[in-house]
Amino acid sequence: MSKGFAEELEALKTQGLHRRMRCIAGSQGSRVVVDGKEALLLCSNNYLGLADHPRLAEAAIRAVERYGTGSGASRLVSGTMELHEALEERLARFKGTEAALVFNSGYAANSGIIPALAGKGDLVFSDRLNHASIVDGCLLSRATMVRYPHNDMAALRRLLERHETAGRRLIVTDGVFSMDGDMAPLRELAALKREFGALLMVDDAHGTGVLGATGRGSAELQGVMTEIDIHMGTLGKALGSFGAYAAASGEIVDYLANRARSFIFSTSLPPAVLAASLAAIDLIDSPEGAALRQRLKRNTAFFRDSLGAAGFDTMGSETQIVPLFVGRAEQTMTFTSRLLEEGVFAQGIRPPTVPAGTCRLRCTLMATHGEEDLARAAELIAGIGREMGVI
Ligand SMILES: Cc1ncc(COP(=O)(O)O)c(C=O)c1O
């Protein structure tokens, strides 16, 4: 290995910032075997437990039998199959938009959509806590990126007033912030975008399937479904499958299909994944989906209230993502290791994912967690937190 790489890896280790992957045996249930040890899974985005749901698995198997395993090409060459069109039509119906476009992942969507919509001479206003894939999309776009303080609408207004352009203005925000579990104030963002003639894009990776009366996401919950110009969402989290989408007007979707490089220059998603996504949306729309959302809400309230009462700072969480503030990187990773020894897998989050000094256990709830398991986990976390002086 080159000396430079080895030294950098060593530096990461001494700063407590070195990462390694933990391997899960079997499927992604609420209890898993991780690195050979059974544990309650408290750090998965499989919020509704659909990633190992038999209906999704059956749909994927049927799709493989009928359509094979691969799509063979990118969408604009020969990689558009019936299932791509069916999923896009279903997603547009789900989001109440004229059209939708499927991307290969959320990362591919954000790094493709933003540079397609904004370029040199344009302005992108981006929340400081937006996901890394949005930041990378902004950097790739060569537009001027104006980062505004997290959810600070007065500051955003000042920045919109201060920055003039003859080009486009795009405001982009996470719907649910992935490391904090709070939500963007979409009503106020929609009012600002109208006032300043901007486009509004919402990345609802963590709201899709979960929030709102029918699981349409944070825009449904906040009553602004028709105010969002580009609804971006992912299919690999609550929907238990893989991929992502942009749901928007027919014109914007057509434009993205012609301009988004991550869409154009990549082999399209395979049939099994598309069929699983279609089955997931049907499930989200069924009484079973509504019951799963209710269970997730109950589990979230129980867990957040228990740990809040124990003295943890849950960092303004309003959703199934419940961070527990720890502070320093090494202490956070020690906390994770101690929990795993006791059969609870809750991942520590460190820089560069979050700012230095704000390391946390990012706990995520699932509809399929049992009440007793959660009660035991909350007690264990509080006990170790007290021993380590975190609370
Ligand atoms: C807010 C947000 N946007 C986008 C992504 C990327 O989605 P994907 O995992 O499908 O690439 C993630 C997480 O992975 C996310 O949390």
Side-chain angles (χ1 to χ4, degrees), residues 234-251:
T234 59
L235 303 165
K237 297 182 173 30
L239 272 70
S241 177
F242 188 64
Y245 61 86
S249 68
E251 184 180 73

Side-chain angles (χ1 to χ4, degrees), residues 45 104-108 110 130-131 133-134 174-179 203-206 232 234-237 242-244 362:
N45 303 321
N104 287 2
S105 70
Y107 188 93
N110 284 335
N130 276 345
H131 189 256
S133 53
I134 294 180
D174 282 10
V176 173
F177 289 87
S178 55
M179 296 299 135
D203 171 347
D204 216 17
H206 298 277
M232 178 274 180
T234 59
L235 303 165
K237 297 182 173 30
F242 188 64
R362 174 184 180 268

Side-chain angles (χ1 to χ4, degrees), residues 322-365:
V322 182
L324 304 174
F325 183 87
V326 180
R328 285 184 294 113
E330 266 183 24
Q331 196 183 16
T332 309
M333 298 325 286
T334 303
F335 207 145
T336 289
S337 300
R338 290 209 42 201
L339 280 172
L340 195 51
E341 279 163 25
E342 302 290 335
V344 171
F345 184 20
Q347 192 59 271
I349 307 289
R350 300 165 277 177
T353 310
V354 294
T358 72
C359 300
R360 64 203 70 176
L361 292 180
R362 174 184 180 268
C363 299
T364 47
L365 281 300

